Amino acid sequence: MDNFTFYSPTYFVFGKDEENNTGKYVKRFGGSKVLIHYGGGSVVRSGLLDRVKASLEKEGIAHVELGGVMPNPRSGLVYEGIDLCKKEGVDFVLAVGGGSSIDSAKAIAAGVVYDGDFWDFYKGKPVTEALPIATILTISAAGSEGSPDSVITQEDGMYKRGASGEAFRPAFSILNPALTATLPKYQVACGITDIMAHLFERYFTTTKEVEVIDRMIEGLLLTMVKEGPLAAADPANYDAEANIMWAGMMAHNNSCGVGRVQDWASHDIEHELSAIYDCAHGAGLATVFPAWMAYNMKHDVARFAQLAVRVWGCEMDFQHPENTAKAGIEALKAFSKSIGMPTSFAELGAKEADIEKMAETACYGDGREGTIGGFAKLNKDDVMAIYKLML
Ligand code: NZQ
Ligand code: ZN
């Protein structure tokens, strides 16, 4: 196991009706004027936004709001949010929604206290300072409620980049699994896929002797395989969602990533798809991961076979472990299909003609210098080959 530090200061509040305590927690964490940031309207329609505002008002906390965050959040709204916060003297940013609203809120929180262009952070400058951020989660997926990360689409060129830093860890996150009941089944399935992808990105490592984290990841994956289909069939299944929501947080606050090299090429490859075609991040990942696995199996067949046996229940072929590894990839594809996820370029609406451009943007520019991935270092040709496997 490699040396590591791990600091995850977020105060998690889990369970039914906890959003009604938002005002109390904002006060505890020092907010006096709040920007409430949300998406395209689901939180308005469900009545959640009104409950959150009532809770702030009960504690005498002033607030302004900015809705309209699109899935795959855009740079333009971030600039708008930064201006609004400066004009209004906002000292606390509260995201109500999914990963997109949370990531946009994080970008605003960093941009408000920075003299330069907030996009500098998305080109690799570490985020060391930001207004305090809090989240009320409405979809289990991105893990941004516990992560030090944010992903934004640059509208000038339509490409996605991530920024990171401890200042991006939320001060508190309210996780009420009942809030996901209004989700379309497709979005639930996208979230399940993203959570599992965050675990795969960490499972595929070159670091040896990492049994404790391997077993944690396998445990979370087994949970997703059991609970995922139940939630995808019925988003109002509280018990299934409760398990998934906590698994989603643990999958991405990096408790399952410490002490090891991680990969993340599949996310970089997917981000091109969701930036250009505006598909859901999870749907893109359902298509990318089996292709990435098939292409990179050669680097450590034993690890792929281990996953196949321990998570998918495949039988070990000791003479030909590559058969076991391949069976694991097929099991993942079958699982994705069973919850309604796409597994091909065509289903995503992606075009073969864009492959070269996507591979170029994935590997170069704004902090990228020719290769991506930690488990397997991929260059532009490798990335093109992976996109082609998805055709
Ligand atoms: O915008 P509204 O109207 O709220 O609708 C959203 C949106 O259309 C809807 N939704 C969310 N909760 C709902 C609901 N509809 C009904 N009832 C509810 N309870 O679902 C749609 C998707 O929302 P979004 O926030 O985009 O989903 P998700 O949480 O999957 O976030 C995706 C974004 O996160 C980034 C992705 O790249 C993508 O941009 N990621 C962020 C990460 C991070 N910050 O650590 C890591 C991830 O790997 C990921 O890259
Ligand atoms: Zn993801």
Side-chain angles (χ1 to χ4, degrees), residues 42 138-140 179-188 231 234-236 241:
S42 70
T138 62
I139 173 172
S140 309
L179 297 179
T180 65
T182 50
L183 275 166
K185 289 178 184 171
Y186 183 78
Q187 287 295 342
V188 174
D234 176 13
E241 270 296 347

Coordinates of all heavy atoms in Angstrom, one line a residue, residues 42 138-140 179-188 231 234-236 241:
S42 N -36.7 20.3 -10.9 CA -37.3 19.2 -10.2 C -37.5 19.5 -8.7 O -38.5 19.1 -8.1 CB -36.4 17.9 -10.3 OG -35.2 18.0 -9.6
T138 N -30.3 15.0 -4.3 CA -31.6 14.5 -4.8 C -31.4 13.3 -5.7 O -32.4 12.7 -6.2 CB -32.4 15.6 -5.5 OG1 -31.6 16.0 -6.6 CG2 -32.7 16.7 -4.6
I139 N -30.2 12.9 -6.0 CA -29.9 11.7 -6.8 C -28.6 11.1 -6.4 O -27.6 11.8 -6.2 CB -29.9 12.1 -8.3 CG1 -29.5 10.9 -9.2 CG2 -29.0 13.3 -8.6 CD1 -29.6 11.1 -10.7
S140 N -28.6 9.8 -6.2 CA -27.3 9.1 -5.8 C -26.6 8.8 -7.1 O -27.1 8.0 -7.9 CB -27.7 7.7 -5.2 OG -28.6 7.9 -4.1
L179 N -35.9 11.6 -1.1 CA -35.9 12.7 -2.1 C -35.7 12.2 -3.5 O -36.0 12.9 -4.5 CB -34.8 13.8 -1.8 CG -35.0 14.5 -0.5 CD1 -33.9 15.6 -0.3 CD2 -36.4 15.3 -0.4
T180 N -35.2 10.9 -3.6 CA -34.9 10.4 -4.9 C -36.2 9.8 -5.5 O -36.2 9.3 -6.7 CB -33.8 9.3 -4.9 OG1 -34.3 8.2 -4.1 CG2 -32.5 9.9 -4.3
A181 N -37.3 9.7 -4.8 CA -38.5 9.0 -5.2 C -39.1 9.6 -6.5 O -39.7 8.9 -7.3 CB -39.6 9.0 -4.1
T182 N -38.8 10.9 -6.8 CA -39.4 11.5 -8.0 C -38.5 11.3 -9.2 O -38.8 11.9 -10.3 CB -39.5 13.1 -7.7 OG1 -38.3 13.6 -7.2 CG2 -40.7 13.3 -6.7
L183 N -37.4 10.6 -9.1 CA -36.5 10.5 -10.2 C -37.1 9.5 -11.3 O -37.7 8.5 -11.0 CB -35.2 9.8 -9.8 CG -34.1 10.7 -9.2 CD1 -33.0 9.9 -8.5 CD2 -33.4 11.5 -10.4
P184 N -36.9 9.9 -12.6 CA -37.2 8.9 -13.7 C -36.3 7.7 -13.5 O -35.1 7.8 -13.1 CB -36.8 9.7 -14.9 CG -36.7 11.1 -14.6 CD -36.3 11.1 -13.1
K185 N -36.8 6.5 -13.8 CA -36.0 5.3 -13.7 C -34.7 5.3 -14.4 O -33.7 4.8 -14.0 CB -36.8 4.1 -14.2 CG -38.0 3.7 -13.3 CD -38.8 2.6 -13.9 CE -40.1 2.4 -13.0 NZ -41.0 1.4 -13.6
Y186 N -34.7 6.0 -15.6 CA -33.5 6.1 -16.4 C -32.4 6.8 -15.6 O -31.2 6.4 -15.6 CB -33.8 6.8 -17.7 CG -32.6 6.9 -18.6 CD1 -32.2 5.8 -19.4 CD2 -31.9 8.1 -18.7 CE1 -31.1 6.0 -20.3 CE2 -30.8 8.2 -19.6 CZ -30.4 7.2 -20.4 OH -29.4 7.3 -21.2
Q187 N -32.7 7.9 -14.9 CA -31.7 8.6 -14.1 C -31.2 7.8 -13.0 O -30.1 7.9 -12.6 CB -32.3 10.0 -13.6 CG -32.5 11.0 -14.7 CD -31.2 11.5 -15.3 OE1 -30.1 11.3 -14.8 NE2 -31.3 12.1 -16.5
V188 N -32.1 7.0 -12.4 CA -31.7 6.1 -11.3 C -30.6 5.2 -11.8 O -29.5 5.0 -11.2 CB -32.8 5.3 -10.7 CG1 -32.3 4.3 -9.6 CG2 -33.9 6.3 -10.0
A231 N -33.9 -0.4 -7.0 CA -34.2 1.1 -7.1 C -34.5 1.5 -8.5 O -35.3 2.3 -8.8 CB -33.0 1.8 -6.6
D234 N -38.0 0.7 -9.0 CA -38.9 1.5 -8.2 C -38.2 2.6 -7.5 O -37.7 2.4 -6.3 CB -39.7 0.6 -7.2 CG -40.6 1.4 -6.3 OD1 -40.8 2.6 -6.6 OD2 -41.0 0.8 -5.3
P235 N -38.0 3.8 -8.1 CA -37.2 4.9 -7.4 C -37.8 5.2 -6.0 O -37.0 5.9 -5.3 CB -37.4 6.0 -8.4 CG -37.7 5.4 -9.7 CD -38.5 4.2 -9.4
A236 N -39.0 4.8 -5.7 CA -39.5 5.1 -4.3 C -39.2 4.1 -3.3 O -39.7 4.1 -2.2 CB -41.0 5.3 -4.4
E241 N -32.8 2.6 -2.0 CA -32.2 3.9 -2.2 C -31.2 4.3 -1.0 O -30.2 4.9 -1.2 CB -33.2 5.0 -2.4 CG -33.6 5.2 -3.9 CD -32.5 5.7 -4.7 OE1 -31.4 6.1 -4.2 OE2 -32.6 5.6 -6.0

